[in-house]
């Protein structure tokens, strides 16, 4: 993950299947960021069908690449306590100093433009095909991810009917 690459399919799918069979998933579950590839989606569909379940919706939160690079570049993390911030959307009270513990905040390697760009390339090659995959299953919904966070949240809740 540090290199902006992805974790092997079987491992990820097994972890997800274990998790969604726990009691708190009886009434449903939301997978965030999985599946990320067609093989993962196929493995997930097959595994779900084995336990008599299926995906109800796939939600594409659509954000242009340049917005993503800018947003990630504004993220700051405290390596001491794990708190996360954003210079624009969730700034620390004192610049570069963690509100929670007073340590210095940093731009993580994961969030640096070159790493983000690498992940976007992987996204376009491997994940974007899922849009057609789920469109063909007639369960794809799209949400404009450039809206304020509350509007994105409301749109997703609206789709889920929750
Ligand atoms: Zn801290």
């Amino acid at each position: 993950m540090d290199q902006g690459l992805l974790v092997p399919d079987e491992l990820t799918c097994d972890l997800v299947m274990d998790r969604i069979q726990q009691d708190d998933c009886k009434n449903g579950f939301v997978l965030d960021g999985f599946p990320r590839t067609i093989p993962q989606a196929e493995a997930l569909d097959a595994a779900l069908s084995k336990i008599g379940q299926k995906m109800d919706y796939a939600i594409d939160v659509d954000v242009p690449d340049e917005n993503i690079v800018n947003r990630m570049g504004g993220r700051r993390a405290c390596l001491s306590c794990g708190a996360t911030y954003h210079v624009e959307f969730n700034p620390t009270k004192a610049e570069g100093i963690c509100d929670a513990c007073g340590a210095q905040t940093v731009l993580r390697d994961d969030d640096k433009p070159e790493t983000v760009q690498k992940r976007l390339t992987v996204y376009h090659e491997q994940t974007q095909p899922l849009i057609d995959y789920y469109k063909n299953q007639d369960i794809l919904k799209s949400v404009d991810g450039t809206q304020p966070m509350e509007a994105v949240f409301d749109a997703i809740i609206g789709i889920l009917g929750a």
Side-chain angles (χ1 to χ4, degrees):
M1 292 185 81
D2 286 346
Q3 296 172 13
L5 302 173
L6 303 168
V7 176
D9 290 346
E10 308 77 28
L11 174 65
T12 317
C13 192
D14 286 351
L15 288 171
V16 169
M17 289 306 294
D18 283 348
R19 182 62 188 87
I20 65 176
Q21 290 181 81
Q22 290 175 25
D23 273 358
D24 60 350
C25 293
K26 269 188 182 141
N27 294 326
F29 53 86
V30 173
L31 302 178
D32 178 6
F34 179 85
R36 286 183 188 270
T37 65
I38 296 282
Q40 282 180 359
E42 289 171 347
L44 178 66
D45 281 348
L48 283 173
S49 126
K50 263 188 211 159
I51 59 165
Q53 293 201 39
K54 63 175 184 58
M55 303 297 298
D56 295 312
Y57 302 107
I59 302 176
D60 172 30
V61 181
D62 189 31
V63 182
D65 285 8
E66 63 202 70
N67 295 35
I68 293 175
V69 173
N70 289 339
R71 275 196 214 178
M72 302 290 269
R75 288 169 69 169
R76 295 293 181 272
C78 172
L79 301 181
S80 283
C81 76
T84 55
Y85 304 91
H86 193 284
V87 292
E88 190 180 339
F89 305 116
N90 178 27
T92 50
K93 290 193 184 84
E95 199 183 321
I97 304 295
C98 177
D99 290 350
C101 77
Q104 245 179 2
T105 61
V106 298
L107 174 62
R108 289 185 306 195
D109 286 343
D110 262 9
D111 296 335
K112 286 183 178 158
E114 55 272 28
T115 314
V116 174
Q117 200 57 62
K118 209 163 158 188
R119 289 161 90 176
L120 282 170
T121 303
V122 174
Y123 169 83
H124 289 298
E125 284 172 9
Q126 303 194 1
T127 306
Q128 201 168 22
L130 288 175
I131 291 178
D132 281 334
Y133 180 86
Y134 288 117
K135 214 182 257 173
N136 290 337
Q137 290 190 10
D138 230 10
I139 59 170
L140 183 80
K141 305 280 178 183
S142 287
V143 172
D144 175 4
T146 64
Q147 306 174 92
M149 209 188 295
E150 300 74 32
V152 173
F153 181 78
D154 288 346
I156 292 171
I157 293 295
I159 290 165
L160 299 178

